[in-house]
Amino acid sequence: RAAALVADALAWLGWKSPMRSTSVAQLAAGVRGEAGAAERTLGVRMRPLAELLAADPAGVQDRWFAALYLLKPLVVAGLAGFWLLSGLIGFWRADAAATVLAEAGFDPASARLAVLAGAAADVALGAAACHRRTARPALYGMLAVTAAYLAGATLWRPDLWADPLGPLVKSLPAAILALVALALLPER
């Protein structure tokens, strides 16, 4: 029931889960049927579930779909949270981030403006990824902004590629995850 309530809330953002409260209510009401009556009415022999599954076993594509279907919300939510948090930290620590650019030769005002613009872009992309209708353009935006960040850092602060905490290196898996999310978005 808790998962159904979360799914109902996510429906307001355009994410249509099959596990919503209406589905749970239908399952709670129960499904009843009599195989003999169905066979007489439909003219088809009703087979047990085990026999149906044995006749059409799951292939690798079915297993991939099942696993990825469950990961899709986690992938999208993880990316949205990553970008939102990144932007909020950028706003909160704007002076410290501007210092990184000032060390590359930016004047303080330009460095601060660049940090605030980047933080605003991060927050906008994270928020847009939360809504189903704007998730696809947000994911493409994440790829573009990541490429811009990496290009700019390579140009002005190439030393960050060797930073022990790997701020630039960590951007690559985030971009790959955005590509995975793009692949998972289509419903059909």
Side-chain angles (χ1 to χ4, degrees):
R1 293 189 190 278
L5 290 174
V6 170
D8 287 344
L10 290 173
W12 287 96
L13 294 174
W15 301 101
K16 306 291 186 186
S17 169
M19 188 60 182
R20 296 187 14 216
S21 57
T22 302
S23 300
V24 172
Q26 286 298 116
L27 290 171
V31 178
R32 302 185 198 288
E34 183 186 322
E39 287 177 9
R40 287 188 298 278
T41 303
L42 300 172
V44 176
R45 183 179 81 80
M46 297 293 116
R47 298 185 290 168
L49 180 60
E51 186 180 326
L52 284 169
L53 293 175
D56 189 19
V60 69
Q61 70 276 14
D62 301 308
R63 290 186 182 99
W64 274 51
F65 175 79
L68 291 173
Y69 188 80
L70 294 175
L71 286 175
K72 179 180 176 177
L74 186 61
V75 168
V76 173
L79 279 168
F82 170 77
W83 283 82
L84 282 166
L85 193 56
S86 174
L88 293 174
I89 291 170
F91 283 127
W92 177 48
R93 301 283 316 237
D95 291 335
T99 301
V100 173
L101 293 177
E103 290 172 5
F106 282 68
D107 68 88
S110 297
R112 185 167 175 75
L113 182 62
V115 167
L116 294 177
D122 289 0
V123 168
L125 289 170
C130 292
H131 198 287
R132 176 70 179 92
R133 189 178 8 201
T134 55
R136 179 172 298 285
L139 291 167
Y140 280 118
M142 289 173 185
L143 291 170
V145 169
T146 299
Y149 283 165
L150 292 176
T154 300
L155 182 63
W156 288 295
R157 289 294 310 268
D159 60 300
L160 291 178
W161 281 105
D163 186 294
L165 297 178
L168 298 184
V169 174
K170 290 175 184 172
S171 297
L172 298 173
I176 292 168
L177 193 58
L179 289 171
V180 170
L182 282 166
L184 295 177
L185 272 185
E187 295 293 325
R188 294 179 188 256

